[in-house]
Each structure stands twice: as C-alpha cells, then as structure tokens.
Amino acid sequence: MTRSVLVINCGSSSIKYALITHPNQPRTARMEGLAEQLGSAQARIKGRDAQGQPFEHPIAHADHTQALQAILTRLESLTPDAIGHRVVHGGEQFTTAVQLTPAVRQAIVDTSALAPLHNPANLLGIDATLQVFADLPQVAVFDTAFHQTLAPHAYRYALPDALYTEHGIRRYGFHGTSHAYVSARANTLTGSTDQGWLSAHLGNGCSTCAIWQGQSVDTSMGLTPLEGVVMGTRSGDIDPSLHAHLHRTLGWSLDQIDQMLNKQSGLLGLSGLSNDMRTLTEAARSGHAGATLAIAVFCYRLAKSLAALSCGLPRFDGLIFTGGIGENAADIRAQTLALLPHFGLQLDPSRNLATTRSAEGRIDTGRGPQIWVIPTDEEGRIAAETRHLIFA
C-alpha cells in the first residue's frame, strides 16, 4: 500500500509543505507550496495543486493553525497518512527520526537554547499540526541527527571541559537531511556504498560535509549555523575576538553583533549589493568590484573548507554540489574547483555548463575523483524517514 506523507518545514512566519504520495515521486509531480508572511495583512499561500498548476491566494492575518487549515483545503480530498516535520536542532539526544510524543516535544523545547531562531518556529508548526491532524502519526526529523556520527575529535571545541559536559557546547552541524540525501543518491548512482564524498550544500545557507560509507565524519557548521563557509547573509568563520573588539571600539551590544553576523554579512556584506548569487554574478560581469570580491571570497572559503574536511576521509572518491547555488551556478563550481588542483579533480567545462536548472549529472572528465551535481530533496528525505519509522 502506498503511504502518503505531508512534510512540514515551519519558520517563524512561514510554512513550507509538500505532499509526497510514494517514495519515487518526482518533485514536479508533488503538491507543494508555501504559506508566508503569516500574521500580517500580506499573508498568502502559493504553490502547485494536484494537477500541477500554480496557485496563489491571500490568507490575510492567518496564524500557523489557520495556515495549516488553508493547506489542508489545498490538499483537496488527499489526506496524508503521516506528517514529517523538519526540526533544526536535536542536540545529542536525537540521532535518528523519532515519532512525536509529549516527551519528544519537551526535548525540542529544552534544546531551543541551542537554536533560538529555529526550534521555537519548528514548534509552532508542530503544535499547529497536532491540532489540525490530531489523529495522524507525526515524526520529527532533525537537521543535526546525520552529524551525530562525528567523533569527539571532530565535534569538540578546545574549550574547558565543563562547557561541553554541563552545557552541551560542541559542534553539531546542520543541513544533515540534505547531505544525507545527496550522498545516498551518489552511492546509488555509482552502485557502491563504500565511498568517501565531500558534499557542498550551497544556497542562502551553505555548509560542507565529509561522508564516509554513508556516515558524516565532519562538517563545516558548528554549535550554530553561523560557523563555516561564507553564506548569503552569514559571515561564516571569523576571529572569535571580533565580538570583544567591536564592543570595545564601537560600543556594540552582543545582540547588535549577532544581528550583523547573521543578517548583514556574507555575500551581502562583502558586496554591498545582494545576497543572491545570480545578482552578484551579473554585477561582477559588469565590473562591480564588491560583487567580484564577494564571489572570490565565497569560492576561496568554500575550497578551503572542502580541503580541510578531506582530512576526515580515509579515501576521497568524489565531490557533490547541491543547493540553489551548487545546482545552478556553473561558474561558481568552476571557480571553486580551480582552487583545488592538487586533488586531481578534472572538470569537463561543457558538462559543467550543461548541468544547470537543477539537473542531475556528472561533470568531470572521467579521470580522477568524480564530480557530481545532485539536486537536493530534503522533503523527499524527510518523507522517506517518516515512512520508514511509521510504516516499515
């Protein structure tokens, strides 16, 4: 029997959803959409219906529960058999997907201090969905779970031991659902699970991951999603003393510094123009100095991170690009790979240029480590984990 799963990815003012009716359903055949700007007069729901036709209509001032009711209406007569929720932070407690219970919900609340911008928003979706779909089994799938296979030498910070043992200060990693999906897909495409992959998830949020035989061994993000490579508006790695320096010299508060590092930095901060790589690429071609610098820093820090993470692999078999930038920006892939000549990566320029618009394909010459572009499917992965937990 085919079991359908409604995947919910809830933010503080939005709900992204997808109804996945069978395991191999292509994304283009799914009912999916986004309820956004919730709580405001501009609140609306948009997406694709059961016939694949786009739609958009207002749901002014709708809260999360009302938005879920609107989503249920959009599903028409298609009632899901289970619900799968994306939850950003599971701490050390959750290493796999788990069925939602009052105890699990409380554990997500307790972990919110580690993800104050994400877990409370995820809980809004969970609570609203429990009201609307009270009789359905519901599952939490954690971004951090895939990285719970990291060894202590990879996840510990060089800090006093009590900060870890008493307060959980360690590297957790994120984008785990994406890295898990694309590495598993690469294993399927190559016909082997005995592989060492480097994965680059590149979008507005970016992270890298080293994966050996299907397990994460290291990743670029840490305690929070701010650590690691340059992102759309996040700085990535900085000198830890920057906070003290800005406080002493400019009088900035911790909240001001945190806001700057998360919302005003990255590609946006470097370019002074945009956090969108498409905009920056066009501007760089026209000679915009800030855009050119932002792209150069982005690619260099990305290559540097991939090189560093290769230390975690017993053998390096290939590199996977995914995410909006990774799947579509052929020039960013080429510029990054050019910074890694000592890895033996040999890009095929024609294949690279042809693999855009979220197409799947191998873009190397056939010599040296493999280079793949694999569109991520986090919703598909969440549905698969939910289906396996509830119906296997």
Side-chain angles (χ1 to χ4, degrees):
M1 178 186 295
T2 299
R3 302 285 192 171
S4 64
V5 177
L6 177 63
V7 176
I8 298 291
N9 181 354
C10 189
S12 59
S13 62
S14 67
I15 302 174
K16 185 179 181 182
Y17 71 92
L19 182 67
I20 302 177
T21 56
H22 57 80
N24 298 316
Q25 184 181 27
R27 297 190 66 175
T28 53
R30 297 174 188 167
M31 292 183 66
E32 60 182 12
L34 174 69
E36 60 184 355
Q37 301 185 60
L38 299 182
S40 75
Q42 292 74 42
R44 59 181 178 170
I45 182 171
K46 60 183 181 180
R48 191 168 55 239
D49 64 20
Q51 289 71 46
Q53 298 301 309
F55 70 86
E56 179 176 329
H57 73 262
I59 49 172
H61 303 291
D63 60 17
H64 286 75
T65 301
Q66 292 165 330
L68 278 165
Q69 292 284 5
I71 289 169
L72 181 61
T73 299
R74 298 307 312 184
L75 297 181
E76 301 167 0
S77 60
L78 301 173
T79 301
D81 297 296
I83 313 291
H85 293 270
R86 179 202 180 208
V87 180
V88 168
H89 215 308
E92 290 186 319
Q93 183 169 350
F94 298 108
T95 61
T96 61
V98 293
Q99 187 164 355
L100 277 167
T101 64
V104 169
R105 184 196 178 281
Q106 185 57 49
I108 296 171
V109 173
D110 296 340
T111 311
S112 291
L114 294 171
L117 299 178
H118 297 92
N119 275 27
N122 301 151
L123 284 163
L124 287 173
I126 288 170
D127 291 342
T129 308
L130 287 170
Q131 291 184 47
V132 176
F133 300 101
D135 297 328
L136 293 182
Q138 305 201 29
V139 171
V141 179
F142 299 90
D143 274 8
T144 51
F146 182 61
H147 303 299
Q148 286 300 300
T149 50
L150 267 63
H153 69 260
Y155 71 70
R156 286 293 300 270
Y157 290 115
L159 296 172
D161 188 63
L163 288 175
Y164 169 63
T165 57
E166 298 176 20
H167 302 286
I169 305 299
R170 52 158 284 182
R171 304 181 67 250
Y172 290 96
F174 301 90
H175 292 146
T177 304
S178 177
H179 291 300
Y181 173 81
V182 298
S183 59
R185 178 63 181 158
N187 287 340
T188 298
L189 291 167
T190 57
S192 173
T193 58
D194 185 30
Q195 305 268 24
W197 297 104
L198 293 176
S199 170
H201 175 103
L202 309 177
N204 192 48
C206 303
S207 68
T208 54
C209 186
I211 302 147
W212 174 247
Q213 295 179 337
Q215 293 191 327
S216 173
V217 296
D218 204 354
T219 189
S220 59
M221 286 179 166
L223 176 71
T224 74
L226 183 62
E227 184 180 348
V229 297
V230 173
M231 303 174 227
T233 62
R234 297 180 196 144
S235 64
D237 292 340
I238 56 161
D239 186 327
S241 291
L242 177 65
H243 293 70
H245 175 76
L246 292 175
H247 176 67
R248 284 195 305 265
T249 59
L250 300 179
W252 288 14
S253 68
L254 286 177
D255 285 343
Q256 284 178 294
I257 298 168
D258 188 62
Q259 180 78 3
M260 179 271 293
L261 292 174
N262 279 284
K263 300 294 186 181
Q264 301 160 13
S265 298
L267 293 173
L268 175 63
L270 279 166
S271 68
L273 179 65
S274 176
N275 64 317
D276 191 312
M277 186 61 80
R278 294 165 296 187
T279 300
L280 296 181
T281 300
E282 285 297 317
R285 288 170 182 160
S286 301
H288 191 287
T292 301
L293 175 64
I295 291 170
V297 174
F298 179 90
C299 293
Y300 178 74
R301 294 286 185 88
L302 173 58
K304 184 178 177 180
S305 177
L306 292 167
L309 290 189
S310 70
C311 294
L313 295 176
R315 186 182 69 247
F316 173 43
D317 293 296
L319 170 60
I320 305 164
F321 288 100
T322 194
I325 297 172
E327 295 165 25
N328 296 294
D331 48 350
I332 299 301
R333 297 193 297 254
Q335 191 165 330
T336 301
L337 291 167
L339 295 165
L340 295 166
H342 40 295
F343 279 72
L345 295 159
Q346 297 189 37
L347 180 67
D348 184 316
S350 61
R351 288 182 178 178
N352 184 41
L353 288 172
T355 309
T356 58
R357 298 188 179 180
S358 299
E360 180 179 84
R362 186 171 169 179
I363 59 172
D364 59 273
T365 62
R367 298 184 297 274
Q370 301 174 52
I371 312 170
W372 284 90
V373 176
I374 299 179
T376 194
D377 187 2
E378 293 170 278
E379 290 80 14
R381 177 78 183 195
I382 291 170
E385 293 193 32
T386 299
R387 191 178 285 110
H388 177 76
L389 182 66
I390 300 299
F391 303 118

